[in-house]
Amino acid sequence: TSPDIDPREWRYILSGTSDGLVAIYDTQNRSGIINKLIDYIFSHVHISSGTPKHSAELVGLTSSGSEGNRASTSVVQWYPGDNGLFVSSGADGQLKVWDANVLSTPVESFTLGRRIYCHHISGINPSCVAVGTETNHVRIGTVNQEQDSILKG
């Protein structure tokens, strides 16, 4: 899984696991196990404020089993404009929207029926989500937080 750092504060890192979980690390309270990951991120991205430290603390972990992804998490991404939400997808064909403050149950879950290799939320139009599966088609849907169902299309 490619990690994703929150675009607002550059503080929290999402990382998926091979068993379907999503971990959230806090880079401001660094005492964890991902020193090399953080060193890599900070060495490849220009950060204008402060000197990076060398580790991060695990501050959250999504649920497993029926609520979380049931197989490897392929992609994690913070929702643009709201670092309280993020999306995960994986080998189980599930796309899940999570509230970073309530990791026990996803806000919404979508079954696409095929292994998901990638997804991306548009930075220009955050209501647009593109999902790449094992088929040769990209599925494009919309996120509408005012309606009960978030992914349509």
Side-chain angles (χ1 to χ4, degrees):
T1 299
S2 297
D4 192 31
I5 191 162
D6 81 272
R8 286 188 150 190
E9 298 179 50
W10 285 76
R11 177 175 178 174
Y12 297 101
I13 296 174
L14 292 173
S15 180
T17 67
S18 61
D19 56 356
L21 301 175
V22 177
I24 302 175
Y25 294 94
D26 183 351
T27 64
Q28 299 299 314
N29 191 1
R30 297 183 183 178
S31 61
I33 60 172
I34 59 168
N35 299 343
K36 290 182 182 180
L37 170 65
I38 291 172
D39 287 342
Y40 176 83
I41 289 171
F42 283 114
S43 69
H44 287 82
V45 177
H46 176 69
I47 306 291
S48 59
S49 61
T51 303
K53 297 180 183 175
H54 300 288
S55 63
E57 180 179 356
L58 177 66
V59 293
L61 196 62
T62 59
S63 63
S64 59
S66 63
E67 296 296 331
N69 291 96
R70 293 183 298 274
S72 174
T73 301
S74 303
V75 179
V76 290
Q77 183 182 11
W78 289 104
Y79 188 79
D82 183 352
N83 63 350
L85 292 175
F86 65 91
V87 178
S88 69
S89 61
D92 62 356
Q94 298 278 317
L95 182 83
K96 296 188 180 272
V97 180
W98 298 89
D99 179 335
N101 298 306
V102 184
L103 297 174
S104 58
T105 306
V107 174
E108 192 71 65
S109 182
F110 306 96
T111 302
L112 300 182
R114 301 287 183 154
R115 180 184 184 111
I116 298 173
Y117 287 104
C118 61
H119 77 258
H120 187 75
I121 304 168
S122 171
I124 296 170
N125 179 1
S127 67
C128 185
V129 180
V131 181
T133 66
E134 62 188 359
T135 68
N136 60 350
H137 296 63
V138 174
R139 184 167 180 182
I140 298 176
T142 59
V143 175
N144 187 344
Q145 292 177 321
E146 287 80 37
Q147 295 184 4
D148 290 336
S149 183
I150 294 178
L151 184 66
K152 298 199 180 275

